[in-house]
């Protein structure tokens, strides 16, 4: 059998066994919660390996007989209790410390929980903590089946779950369950010690003296095997175990010492490694694990110490909210262990805390608050129903709860998350803000050198990166155009695997050599030398329209912290905008160079027209259930109309159409800037289209003169839901034909580029199969005859209705033909643009 199959087979067997044991304990807890008043509980406890009663009124007495039968095994007492119901009596013969034997009729108490604190404690110890520990332990091994540290986490978590568990087993095979529990409780200190030795890398002390580890393991195992062996004997033969009671007491003390030594060694190893560890990633993992361990285990240790000092019962000497909170914090320990093993690159502690808090607020905080309010409302109703009448304050209480539920919306949670960022994580928040602003800013640059200088300067200042290299494609080679590195620049050939990786993924690629992925392993020596020279840690692709136009290489941060997911998402937006600005710069440079060589204005306009045609979609994205087509016929060689189809993440389709004021090259340049700005905003993942349009308006305003503006419409269609979300910025309302119904899409705001503080509203339209969506500029509806009679919106809509059976491309041809037939020989005075989208099942 291959090793991988053996590993997964062992994992499956362990998982089934753990699931069986957990299900049995869950069943026991549910029985107590449901039938606890009739279920029996032990009237007193017994010290293992002896006959001595450990608690209650008869503490210190010895148990001689049960129901007239000599007490011969630990199991005998438990079975005698379980054969009765609560309230019945158990006849027991006891021996007092003086030696006098007396018979007692003991009333069997109820197994029901006497308070809410006991319920919370039982659920935390027997369900929440074991389930979290087991889920994370098995999950880590499933993700990293060949990693020894992952298996140590599984053993540690399973032992930890069995150690904190307090519920008694009431199912079949009690001896087998006793062995299971004993084995895993033994594995907890063993796994703690071994994990401390091997994480994140093997300790230097163990490399020098590996025999110390095996000697400690032998001692641990000998103590635990002897301890649980006597316990197993006591379950079957009290007399035999009684002869070993002195040894059992010594073993109990030694077992406590084993736990202290294992846990102490666990933390001492981390303290030593925090200083000795040379890898930045290893140091970050140690810091996170140390913080999670102290925060997870610390409160519980304090509770136990409090009970020892006050001579109280552990977990019962303080109010239950303190106890349950401390026990629930225990789940941080397995969560931290799982994180440091599974995560590819560990972040610093501050980032982990920030991400955890933001996730908790965004995902669970809102629902937790709502659930608390609903519970409060139900409690008020229950209180009223129980009493049978309302007090003067209860209606006001219910109204207050209702108002709180109405106010508790996602916007409030978003504001809370933003406030948290500004208050406690200002540097990270400012970095994200700067990167988002840079993504919008670079689209306005038309020259390559200042563009690269600006991008490199802002990236270096924001992310604290000193080593930045920017390469541009020149034929079949990517040549260095900007570099903060000293020495001879190194180029990358277009056939390189580095280029192929960036071209294929189209997104930032992390570079690391301590645990390199397959694509780095496939690089040749020259390619590895290039990455090493640039000290690359993150490669950003500058995507052109048809191919990779350039590469930005970012070196390590001065803090040695790896690039976060937020970093890469924002940097992708920066790279996208830079690529678009680079492409536009090249197109406009080409336009200027060719125009300078021509003497006639019509040749210059022809070049501009060709550039503008290249800015229009050369092919239409394939979106499930949608057929689309578009066509623009400018009034001159170069027009101011603009349209675009964008293939967005998650299978969505972006639809844009605009009409720039004016005509000619000035309008075409503004159109190019508008397109670059839109694509940058769309690829940045902005979900709120009203915010997207507001950003777009500000970009166009800053990039154009005061007499330049554009009407604009942008929408995003989600084929999964059939919903179109849109904003109309002063554009002719697109319309949806549905049978005889005409639906206008008018919601939005003013034109873009005219008012810097303009606000916009987002609209929605639920599309249905067989709907047809028409988007157009005013050159269509306002096409005029020689006598200045307009074709009008009414004639346009009637023509659209008459041709809905055609496909979108032929529909556009038919509508243009109808408009041309109406105007006759009149000259076209405005650009005419029409987009048609047909929706199917």
């Amino acid at each position: 059998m291959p090793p991988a199959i053996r590993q997964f087979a062992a994992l499956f067997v362990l998982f089934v066994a753990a699931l069986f044991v957990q299900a049995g304990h869950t069943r026991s807890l549910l029985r107590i919660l449901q039938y606890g008043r009739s279920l029996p509980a032990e009237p007193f406890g017994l010290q293992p390996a002896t006959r001595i009663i450990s608690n209650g009124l008869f503490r210190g007495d010895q148990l001689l007989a049960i129901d007239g039968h000599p007490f011969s095994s630990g199991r005998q007492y438990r079975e005698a209790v379980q054969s009765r119901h609560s309230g019945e009596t158990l006849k027991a013969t006891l021996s007092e410390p003086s030696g006098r034997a007396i018979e007692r009729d003991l009333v069997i108490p109820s197994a029901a929980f006497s308070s809410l604190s006991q319920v919370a404690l039982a659920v935390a110890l027997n369900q929440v903590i074991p389930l979290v520990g087991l889920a994370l332990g098995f999950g880590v091994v499933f993700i990293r089946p060949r990693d020894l540290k992952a298996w140590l986490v599984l053993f540690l978590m399973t032992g930890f779950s069995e150690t904190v568990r307090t519920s008694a087993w009431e199912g079949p095979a009690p001896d087998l369950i006793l062995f299971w529990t004993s084995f895993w409780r033994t594995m907890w200190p063993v796994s703690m010690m071994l994990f401390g030795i091997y994480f994140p890398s093997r300790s230097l002390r163990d490399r020098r003296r590996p025999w110390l580890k095996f000697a400690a393991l032998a001692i641990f195992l000998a103590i635990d095997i002897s301890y649980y062996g006597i316990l197993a004997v006591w379950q079957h033969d009290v007399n035999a175990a009684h002869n070993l009671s002195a040894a059992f007491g010594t073993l109990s003390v030694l077992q406590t010492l084993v736990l202290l030594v294992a846990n102490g060694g666990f933390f001492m190893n981390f303290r030593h490694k925090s200083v000795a560890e040379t890898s930045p990633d290893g140091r970050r993992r140690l810091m996170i694990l140390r913080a999670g361990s102290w925060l997870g285990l610390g409160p519980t240790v304090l509770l136990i110490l409090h009970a020892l000092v006050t001579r109280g019962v552990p977990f019962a000497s303080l109010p239950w909210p303190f106890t349950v909170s401390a026990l629930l914090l225990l789940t941080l320990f397995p969560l931290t262990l799982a994180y440091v093993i599974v995560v590819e690159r560990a972040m610093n502690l501050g980032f982990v805390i920030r991400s955890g808090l933001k996730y908790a607020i965004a995902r669970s905080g809102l629902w937790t608050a709502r659930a608390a309010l609903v519970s409060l409302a139900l409690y008020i109703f229950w209180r009223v129903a129980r009493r049978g009448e309302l007090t003067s304050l209860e209606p006001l209480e219910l109204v207050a709860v209702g108002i709180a539920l109405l106010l508790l919306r996602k916007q409030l949670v978003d504001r809370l998350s933003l406030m948290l960022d500004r208050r406690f994580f200002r540097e990270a928040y400012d970095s994200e803000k700067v990167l988002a602003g840079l993504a919008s800013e670079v689209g306005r640059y038309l020259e390559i050198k200042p563009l690269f200088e600006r991008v490199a300067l802002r990236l270096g200042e924001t992310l604290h990166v000193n080593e930045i290299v920017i390469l541009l494609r020149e034929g079949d080679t990517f040549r260095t155009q900007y570099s903060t590195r000293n020495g001879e620049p190194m180029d990358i050939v277009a056939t390189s695997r580095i280029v192929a990786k960036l071209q294929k993924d189209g997104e930032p690629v992390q570079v690391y050599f301590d645990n390199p992925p397959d694509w780095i392993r496939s690089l040749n020596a020259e390619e590895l030398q290039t990455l090493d020279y640039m000290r690359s840690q993150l490669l950003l692709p500058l995507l052109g329209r048809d191919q990779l136009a350039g590469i930005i290489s970012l070196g390590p941060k001065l803090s040695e912290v790896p690039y976060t997911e937020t970093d890469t998402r924002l940097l992708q937006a920066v790279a996208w905008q830079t690529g678009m600005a680079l492409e536009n710069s090249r197109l406009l440079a080409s336009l200027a160079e060719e125009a300078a060589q021509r003497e006639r204005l019509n040749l210059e306009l022809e070049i501009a027209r060709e550039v503008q045609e290249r800015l229009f979609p050369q092919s239409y994205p394939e979106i499930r259930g949608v057929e689309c087509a578009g066509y623009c016929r400018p009034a001159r060689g170069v027009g101011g109309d603009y349209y675009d189809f964008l293939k967005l993440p998650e299978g969505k389709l972006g639809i844009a159409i605009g009409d720039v004021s004016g005509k000619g090259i000035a309008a075409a340049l503004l159109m190019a800037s508008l397109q670059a700005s839109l694509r940058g905003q769309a690829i940045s993942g902005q979900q709120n289209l009203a915010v997207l349009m507001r950003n777009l308006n500000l970009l166009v305003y800053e990039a154009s003169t005061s007499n330049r503006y554009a009407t604009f419409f942008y929408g995003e269609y989600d084929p999964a839901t059939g919903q179109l979300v849109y904003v109309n910025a002063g554009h002719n309302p697109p319309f949806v034909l549905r049978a005889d119904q005409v639906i206008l899409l008018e919601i939005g705001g003013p034109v873009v580029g005219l008012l810097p503080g303009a606000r916009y509203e987002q609209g929605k339209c639920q599309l249905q199969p067989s709907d047809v969506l028409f988007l157009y500029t005013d050159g269509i509806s306002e096409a005029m005859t020689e006598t200045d009679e307009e074709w009008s919106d009414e004639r346009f809509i009637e023509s659209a209705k008459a041709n809905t059976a055609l496909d979108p491309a032929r529909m556009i041809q038919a509508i243009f033909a109808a408009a041309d037939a109406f105007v006759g020989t009149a000259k076209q005075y405005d650009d005419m643009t029409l987009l048609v989208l047909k929706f199917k099942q």
Side-chain angles (χ1 to χ4, degrees):
M1 184 184 296
I5 296 179
R6 287 201 302 268
Q7 288 173 339
F8 279 107
L11 184 64
F12 177 76
V13 172
L14 283 176
F15 178 74
V16 171
L19 199 63
F20 172 76
V21 173
Q22 181 61 40
H25 285 286
T26 302
R27 176 178 172 274
S28 298
L29 182 61
L30 291 176
R31 285 185 68 239
I32 294 174
L33 291 173
Q34 189 173 5
Y35 308 110
R37 294 187 180 278
S38 62
L39 293 177
E42 295 180 356
F44 52 76
L46 291 172
Q47 292 183 13
T50 69
R51 302 172 179 272
I52 300 173
I53 297 174
S54 59
N55 60 3
L57 294 175
F58 308 107
R59 181 177 181 179
D61 292 357
Q62 294 194 38
L63 179 62
L64 301 180
I66 301 173
D67 292 333
H69 300 288
F71 175 52
S72 59
S73 68
R75 183 181 300 175
Q76 177 189 359
Y77 173 54
R78 187 178 71 250
E79 291 174 350
V81 172
Q82 290 178 354
S83 65
R84 289 168 166 79
H85 293 90
S86 63
E88 297 180 356
T89 59
L90 175 72
K91 187 179 293 294
T93 303
L94 307 180
S95 174
E96 296 179 340
S98 62
R100 184 168 64 96
I102 56 173
E103 286 192 356
R104 299 283 188 180
D105 289 330
L106 305 176
V107 178
I108 301 296
S110 167
F113 295 113
S114 60
S115 64
L116 182 61
S117 63
Q118 289 189 356
V119 175
L121 191 62
V123 171
L125 289 174
N126 299 293
Q127 298 300 312
V128 177
I129 295 173
L131 283 173
V132 171
L134 291 173
L136 290 172
F138 282 102
V140 167
V141 176
F142 182 79
I143 296 171
R144 298 268 192 269
R146 298 182 181 179
D147 191 341
L148 171 64
K149 294 185 286 292
W151 284 90
L152 288 175
V153 168
L154 172 60
F155 276 54
L156 196 156
M157 285 297 95
T158 308
F160 180 68
S161 301
E162 291 299 330
T163 301
V164 301
R165 199 190 303 277
T166 59
S167 60
W169 177 262
E170 297 180 4
D175 290 336
L176 191 59
I177 298 302
L178 176 62
F179 171 77
W180 170 273
T181 304
S182 304
F183 174 80
W184 288 114
R185 288 183 177 179
T186 301
M187 285 297 104
W188 183 29
V190 169
S191 303
M192 288 276 283
M193 184 190 72
L194 292 177
F195 190 84
I197 291 173
Y198 285 100
F199 178 84
S201 57
R202 188 177 176 185
S203 69
L204 183 62
R205 186 181 293 110
D206 184 63
R207 294 176 189 273
R208 292 173 178 172
R209 300 181 183 88
W211 57 269
L212 284 175
K213 168 182 60 185
F214 297 111
L217 284 176
I219 294 171
F220 288 0
L221 291 174
I223 293 171
D224 275 357
I225 290 172
S226 301
Y227 176 88
Y228 289 113
I230 295 175
L231 195 61
V233 170
W234 180 72
Q235 292 291 339
H236 295 273
D237 190 340
V238 169
N239 293 325
H242 185 72
N243 296 328
L244 301 171
S245 59
F248 185 82
T250 303
L251 289 170
S252 298
V253 174
L254 291 175
Q255 192 184 47
T256 303
L257 289 175
V258 164
L259 286 173
L260 292 174
V261 169
N263 284 275
F266 179 81
F267 288 104
M268 287 183 64
N269 265 313
F270 290 155
R271 182 179 179 183
H272 173 74
K273 287 184 177 181
S274 297
V275 178
E277 180 65 35
T278 58
S279 164
D281 182 67
R283 288 199 298 271
R284 287 192 297 272
R285 291 177 193 270
L286 286 168
M287 183 178 295
I288 292 170
L289 181 57
R290 187 169 57 185
S293 300
W294 281 111
L295 187 58
L297 299 175
T300 300
V301 172
L302 291 176
L303 284 180
I304 295 173
L305 290 176
H306 177 269
L308 291 174
V309 171
T310 59
R311 297 185 178 181
V313 179
F315 308 118
S317 53
L318 287 174
W320 72 268
F322 292 98
T323 302
V324 172
S325 299
L327 291 174
L328 290 179
L329 279 175
L330 274 176
T331 57
L332 284 177
F333 181 56
L335 281 169
T336 307
L337 284 173
Y339 175 84
V340 297
I341 294 298
V342 171
V343 71
E344 192 69 47
R345 311 295 292 174
M347 299 300 166
N348 64 2
L349 183 59
F351 177 82
V352 174
I353 294 173
R354 180 190 184 215
S355 300
L357 285 175
K358 292 186 72 174
Y359 182 88
I361 291 173
R363 296 296 177 89
S364 60
L366 181 62
W367 291 107
T368 302
R370 285 176 175 170
L373 287 171
V374 170
S375 300
L376 178 59
L378 292 174
Y379 169 72
I380 295 172
F381 280 120
W382 172 80
R383 192 174 63 192
V384 172
R386 186 178 180 184
R387 193 173 52 247
E389 60 180 357
L390 279 167
T391 66
S392 59
L393 292 178
E394 282 167 342
L396 295 177
E397 292 175 352
L398 289 172
V399 170
V401 170
I403 293 173
L405 282 171
L406 288 175
L407 293 176
L408 200 61
R409 299 177 180 273
K410 186 178 183 299
Q411 291 85 344
L412 178 64
V413 176
D414 291 341
R415 285 198 295 271
L416 180 61
S417 180
L418 184 62
M419 183 186 71
L420 182 77
D421 262 359
R422 289 176 172 173
R423 177 66 180 83
F424 297 104
F425 305 101
R426 186 76 205 188
E427 183 177 355
Y429 169 77
D430 288 343
S431 298
E432 292 176 10
K433 190 175 179 181
V434 170
L435 288 178
L438 180 61
S440 302
E441 180 184 347
V442 296
R444 301 199 296 268
Y445 283 85
L446 300 179
E447 295 184 18
I448 294 176
K449 184 177 180 180
L451 168 67
F452 286 166
E453 289 176 349
R454 184 61 174 169
V455 169
L457 177 64
R458 295 303 295 272
L459 290 181
E461 291 177 346
T462 305
L463 298 174
H464 307 295
V465 178
N466 283 345
E467 290 155 332
I468 302 174
V469 179
I470 304 178
L471 305 99
L472 284 186
R473 180 189 285 270
E474 293 183 4
D476 294 332
T477 305
F478 287 81
R479 301 193 184 279
T480 301
Q481 300 294 320
Y482 179 93
S483 176
T484 60
R485 299 277 293 152
N486 297 322
E488 182 92 14
M490 300 191 70
D491 302 329
I492 302 177
V493 296
T495 56
S496 165
R497 294 180 181 88
I498 301 173
V499 175
K501 173 69 175 176
L502 291 169
Q503 183 83 48
K504 177 184 176 183
D505 293 355
E507 59 185 20
V509 174
Q510 295 209 18
V511 179
Y512 44 90
F513 298 98
D514 50 353
N515 185 22
D518 292 339
W519 78 272
I520 289 184
R521 296 177 190 274
S522 67
L523 302 181
N524 58 38
E526 183 179 354
E527 293 166 333
L528 291 172
Q529 185 180 1
T530 301
L531 292 178
D532 181 65
Y533 161 76
M534 296 190 298
R535 293 204 64 203
S536 301
Q537 238 184 43
L538 189 70
L539 298 176
L540 305 176
L542 303 179
L543 298 175
R545 297 192 176 278
D546 302 316
Q547 60 183 358
L548 188 67
I551 301 170
I552 298 179
S553 169
L554 299 180
K557 296 181 181 179
L558 295 179
S559 62
E560 298 183 338
V561 175
Y563 292 92
T564 67
E565 183 179 348
T566 303
D567 289 340
T568 56
R569 176 175 57 81
L570 292 171
L571 287 170
Q572 184 175 9
V574 172
W576 178 275
Q577 277 284 56
T578 304
M580 294 298 298
L582 177 62
E583 192 77 3
N584 287 335
S585 176
R586 285 180 165 178
L587 288 172
L588 293 173
S590 175
L591 171 63
E593 183 180 351
E594 292 184 31
Q597 297 174 359
R598 302 186 184 190
E599 298 179 353
R600 297 180 58 86
L601 180 61
N602 60 337
L603 292 179
E604 178 184 323
L605 293 176
E606 179 63 19
I607 295 171
R609 184 188 65 79
E610 293 174 0
V611 173
Q612 187 179 37
E613 285 182 353
R614 278 182 263 171
L615 295 176
F616 288 132
Q618 304 302 303
S619 60
Y620 304 126
E622 295 182 3
I623 302 296
R624 176 171 54 85
V626 182
E627 286 185 77
C628 58
Y631 176 63
C632 175
R633 190 171 73 186
R636 303 181 188 176
V638 179
D641 280 8
Y642 158 67
Y643 75 93
D644 208 352
F645 293 104
L646 306 175
K647 189 171 185 180
L648 303 175
E650 301 178 4
K652 295 182 180 180
L653 173 65
I655 311 158
I657 189 168
D659 187 353
V660 178
S661 64
K663 302 288 182 291
I665 293 178
L669 289 175
L670 184 55
M671 186 196 92
S673 177
L674 181 65
Q675 183 208 46
S677 299
L678 171 66
R679 284 181 170 260
Q681 288 289 317
I683 198 65
S684 68
Q686 177 59 255
Q687 299 295 318
N688 191 322
L689 298 193
V691 175
L692 181 149
M693 192 66 74
R694 189 170 68 219
N695 295 339
L696 194 68
N697 170 66
L698 190 59
L699 292 172
V700 175
Y701 177 83
E702 293 175 351
S704 61
T705 58
S706 58
N707 62 343
R708 290 290 176 185
Y709 63 91
T711 66
F712 193 69
F713 176 96
Y714 178 68
E716 290 184 359
Y717 172 71
D718 187 352
T721 62
Q723 188 176 75
L724 174 70
V725 181
Y726 69 92
V727 177
N728 189 334
H731 194 74
N732 301 77
F735 60 90
V736 177
L737 290 184
R738 180 179 296 162
D740 294 331
Q741 187 180 4
V742 179
I743 303 172
L744 299 180
L745 308 181
E746 300 175 294
I747 298 174
V751 297
V752 296
L754 192 61
L755 303 171
R759 299 292 175 180
Y760 297 90
E761 183 182 359
Q762 176 177 283
K764 296 180 180 179
C765 179
Q766 187 65 40
L767 297 172
Q768 301 176 5
S770 77
D771 283 355
V772 184
L773 172 62
F774 295 84
L775 303 95
Y776 63 100
T777 58
D778 55 11
I780 296 282
S781 59
E782 296 176 4
M784 289 192 292
T785 65
E786 291 181 340
T787 60
D788 292 339
E789 180 183 4
E790 289 187 358
W791 192 37
S792 75
D793 290 333
E794 291 75 16
R795 289 190 179 96
F796 172 35
I797 292 174
E798 288 302 318
S799 176
K801 288 181 178 179
N803 293 284
T804 53
L806 303 176
D807 62 67
R810 294 176 61 194
M811 210 180 302
I812 290 173
Q813 294 174 2
I815 292 173
F816 267 79
D820 291 340
F822 174 79
V823 301
T825 59
K827 184 178 179 180
Q828 178 182 340
Y829 80 96
D830 197 3
D831 304 331
M832 301 173 68
T833 302
L834 177 61
L835 279 65
V836 178
L837 292 91
K838 199 168 184 179
F839 300 90
K840 303 182 292 184
Q841 287 283 9

